[in-house]
Amino acid sequence: MMNQLQWLGLVASYLLVLGAGPVWAQGKGVQNQENLATSAQRVAAQGNAYGGLRLRELLKEVNHNIPIQDKVGSREQTQSRIRQLSEVEHPSTSAKMLVQSPTPSNSTDQREDRESEVIQITSVKANPTSKGVEVILETPVGTQLQVTNRSAGSNFIVDIFGGQLRLPSGEAFTFRSEKPLAEITEITAQNIDANTVRVTVVGEKALPTVELYDDDAGLVFAVATTATATSPQQPTQQPQTQQPENQTQPTQPSASGDEPIELVVTGEQDNYRATDSSTATRTDTPLRDIPQSIQVIPQQVLRDQQATTIQEALRNVSGASLSNIPGFQSNDFVLRGFTGNYLRNGLPDYNAAFAADLANVERLDVLKGPASVLFGVGTPGATINLITKKPLRDPFYAIDATVGNYNTYRGAIDLSGPLNDSKTVLYRLNAVYQDTGSFVDFLSTKNYSIAPVIGLMLGTKTKLTIEGEYRHTHIDSFYLGLPALGTVLPNPNGKIPINRNTAEPNYFRDFTIGSISYDLEHQFSDNWSLRNAFQASFSSVDSLRSSGNDLLDDNRTVDRDLFTEDYNQYSYALITNVIGKILTGSIQHQLLFGVDLNRSGYPNYRAGNGGLAALLDIYNPVYGQPPRVLESSRNRLSNLTDSLGVYLQDQVTIAENLKLLLGGRFDLFTQTNGSAFADQPFKELSQGGDAFSPRVGIVYQPIPAISLYGSYTRSFTPNFGRSADNRLFDPEGGRQYEVGVKADLSPTLSTTLALYDLERSNVLTTDPNDDRFSILTGEQRSRGIELNLTGEILPGWNIYAGYAYTDARITKDNSYRVGSRLFATPENAVNLWTTYEFQRGGLKGFGAGLGLFYVGEREGDLENDFQLPDYLRTDVALFYKRDQLRLQLNIRNLFDINYFETSAGQTTRVIPGSPFTVEGRISWEF
């Protein structure tokens, strides 16, 4: 256990980094930049009275290989990089200024003040230039317009607060210029609410180059292209049609003075650093305003690592470890000492854990700790939300092919675009096929999936998204792992080769999974919206395999049985929630009220006892021998869980730097289990119950770049069993206290430090008076520290890293020793992934990545009879990007170390990690 000095040392070191970070950055030139708001405030403070803006915003070309998303309620955060002090003359700023990030300013009274000062933009003109085209927004000089910029995919977006597009007659209008330049799809200017104008420049493949400045005519957008400029179309004036989007972008005041200022702002995507998520609150909320630890694994990290499975993706989550056998059951992981839950686009989906490939997944959100306040039934470890790719407004086509050792072949396509000229019907189609072998003898896997999506704009305020997916996985042979004796424990017969398979070559396992869903969103007004979503998923499993893997007394002979199984599993989820924004005096509230229905289970699990397979000498195996005993008895099991939940949440903004999160949920649930063993009659047992799950959190921001937070939250899971007096059991509970710090070390680099105390209670244990029954005396506790760092350190240098210290133990139990550590939970774990891409010169487009994944020693079972040793795995990547082409080489386990992933809590199922693995990929976008 970490002693007090170690805890204090870690916290002190972290605080020292927070305090010294901005100064270090200033010395290195990382932070010799000012955000637009800081510069404007400084100039205004000097008493300047120059009319209008004098800004120049220059955007770099971004990675062509990043898929572009159009998501309702989801935006890419602004990145603003001001050119260095040696290039711009202005007074120096303090380290405090350098570390600050602008915060949203959305209070109603501020909005009303701006509306009373709305500046009329009476005309929009497009004029050709030698470099491209200038779009001029004509407005009077001497205004105090407020500007914020951001990028989303290949779109450069500027919101201008305090202005409106209105003709001299007062009629609102919209400007649109289609295909004004090569490489530019369109330029639009439109009112998005009563006091905000949005200018959008849409690039065909990459972020366009835009210069924004002010002259006597008004605001001028100079759009350039590397190709020859074509004559722009004349602006068309039409009634306002676009409705406002849900925004959390900061409002940044413009400069005003008698001397022009010229700042260079680089807007580009935050490839490794996510800025907001809806997983923790079911509203689109900045991560810095969420009083709970949440990690987002973005698309670019998945691409750079070639992480195509959940198992590989979750290596990036601090403290996560595999808890069962890959391919045998779902991808169960342990986080903060306990297993996690799976969502798909924010809806519970028990089949999501079976995902064999992430081809149609845009990103993974991992919310640490209990989350029943929003999602109902769930374990307390974490909630993993798989967010799928959505249709795009502009045509996008991508294809990639991968080859690797162990006879790995993979091909994937990603197609998207509009289906009509008005772009109100969009589609996306992802499909993948993979055939791969394994380091394990005669074990191979084939899987394919197809995932179509249709997006419909039903008017200007309503959007409907319909998704489907079909996946099939076939595993030749089977794999249960190896005995602990001979792998992690000494065996007098020697080490067991890690490629050894205790199954027969003719064993198999087939998964088939299908899902269908819709997501309907409607905006009643700027302040009220509705979401209704439904999801149904189905899975079927058919297999012939062994279910036992025990060693006999000679420590070399494996006793195996023969087992067949056939079952279907389903999951339904229906949610409806309303989001509203109101004021009580000067206090802002964002309310969420919702109801959801969930049903899951398997109606007819059929397992057949086929007898006893031939004994196998694990050191000298002979396969294909006839079974020792043949039987044909069948067992039947069934399970059905229904739940109804009602929840209410209030995100309270007391002040710009003080926020509360209050929530509560009440659930009713029923559960029915049925069983029939061999020739016995089928019997069912049912029980029901209810649970209340609260959450309370607070966020305090002493400066805009720092968020101090604390929270309390709970979870529940139904307990099913029998007591000696035939009483129903209360649900198993989870309770967590968490405090932490979230900090923006720069506009592109963020960190989170979390300390938590998590308890799992009402754990069923064996009745000491009669082992046929159970009692509620079990309790387990996990305490720990987590530190995460994500984003861009320098241009082209990205990092995604984390550290976790976890002390997870049994505190009460009748079956296991109190004080025993929970299995599959390392005390210390470190994950580091970093890449660098050359930004200019002859090496432009070349890049490399390095991954270090350290997992400490873990207990192999709850008895703590054996341990899995610690390991450090090293991964590397090399890539080259040029226009639409990307070439990539990834190596996992560079030094070919022997390590073990998990034991599934048993002495007979130790799973070795993969040896040296290399994969090459070629991708093309067009």
Side-chain angles (χ1 to χ4, degrees), residues 826-839:
E827 187 172 17
N828 293 282
V830 178
N831 59 279
L832 168 66
W833 175 259
T834 183
T835 61
Y836 180 76
E837 180 182 347
F838 290 94
Q839 302 295 294

Side-chain angles (χ1 to χ4, degrees), residues 470-488:
Y470 177 84
R471 305 194 302 266
H472 180 77
T473 300
H474 175 79
I475 301 175
D476 284 318
S477 187
F478 195 70
Y479 191 57
L480 279 176
L482 300 170
L485 290 172
T487 52
V488 297

Side-chain angles (χ1 to χ4, degrees), residues 9 51-52 110 122 189 255 269 274 290 298 324 338 448 469 505 577 641 666 711 769 793 869:
Q110 288 174 321
T122 57
Q269 287 183 323
I290 298 172
N324 71 353
F338 306 111
Y448 62 86
E469 184 177 9
N577 57 49
T641 301
F666 181 76
S711 64
N769 299 317
I793 301 174

Side-chain angles (χ1 to χ4, degrees), residues 831-863:
N831 59 279
L832 168 66
W833 175 259
T834 183
T835 61
Y836 180 76
E837 180 182 347
F838 290 94
Q839 302 295 294
R840 60 181 61 87
L843 294 177
K844 182 179 179 181
F846 281 98
L850 172 67
L852 299 174
F853 301 95
Y854 172 77
V855 178
E857 184 180 83
R858 294 138 290 155
E859 296 297 334
D861 58 11
L862 287 175
E863 291 89 351

Side-chain angles (χ1 to χ4, degrees), residues 113-319:
D113 290 343
R114 289 199 301 268
E115 288 175 1
S116 66
E117 302 174 1
V118 169
I119 302 304
Q120 196 166 321
I121 299 172
T122 57
S123 175
V124 180
K125 297 180 178 179
N127 299 324
T129 67
S130 59
K131 296 182 179 180
V133 63
E134 281 188 345
V135 179
I136 303 173
L137 279 65
E138 295 188 343
T139 180
V141 297
T143 63
Q144 284 291 328
L145 291 175
Q146 300 176 341
V147 178
T148 177
N149 77 285
R150 62 187 173 95
S151 63
S154 62
N155 300 343
F156 171 54
I157 302 168
V158 173
D159 286 341
I160 304 167
F161 300 96
Q164 281 284 281
L165 298 177
R166 294 192 180 276
L167 299 172
S169 62
E171 181 183 357
F173 69 93
T174 296
F175 168 86
R176 183 182 305 274
S177 178
E178 295 184 356
K179 199 63 180 176
L181 298 170
E183 303 175 3
I184 302 297
T185 301
E186 68 176 6
I187 302 172
T188 62
Q190 51 204 334
N191 299 321
I192 64 168
D193 60 30
N195 72 310
T196 308
V197 175
R198 173 169 298 167
V199 177
T200 305
V201 183
V202 181
E204 284 188 345
K205 295 296 183 180
L207 199 63
T209 298
V210 180
E211 296 179 354
L212 166 62
Y213 57 94
D214 177 74
D215 64 12
D216 292 339
L219 288 175
V220 179
F221 291 80
V223 184
T225 177
T226 56
T228 303
T230 61
S231 299
Q233 299 177 4
Q234 294 300 315
T236 58
Q237 297 180 358
Q238 58 190 41
Q240 177 181 356
T241 58
Q242 184 167 346
Q243 297 299 317
E245 295 181 8
N246 181 19
Q247 293 283 334
T248 61
Q249 296 299 323
T251 58
Q252 300 176 340
S254 67
S256 178
D258 53 13
E259 293 183 4
I261 60 171
E262 186 174 285
L263 305 177
V264 177
V265 181
T266 301
E268 58 182 323
Q269 287 183 323
D270 277 330
N271 295 334
Y272 274 41
R273 173 180 172 265
T275 57
D276 54 66
S277 172
S278 61
T279 299
T281 60
R282 277 191 168 159
T283 64
D284 212 1
T285 304
L287 296 181
R288 61 198 303 277
D289 292 344
I290 298 172
Q292 199 168 339
S293 179
I294 180 171
Q295 281 188 250
V296 177
I297 308 173
Q299 176 64 210
Q300 193 60 35
V301 172
L302 299 177
R303 174 179 283 268
D304 289 348
Q305 294 179 351
Q306 286 202 54
T308 60
T309 65
I310 293 177
Q311 180 183 350
E312 287 299 327
L314 291 184
R315 291 189 190 278
N316 298 287
V317 178
S318 53

Side-chain angles (χ1 to χ4, degrees), residues 452-469:
V453 187
I454 295 292
L456 304 171
M457 293 302 300
L458 307 177
T460 58
K461 296 184 178 182
T462 306
K463 182 175 182 179
L464 175 65
T465 303
I466 302 172
E467 297 190 39
E469 184 177 9

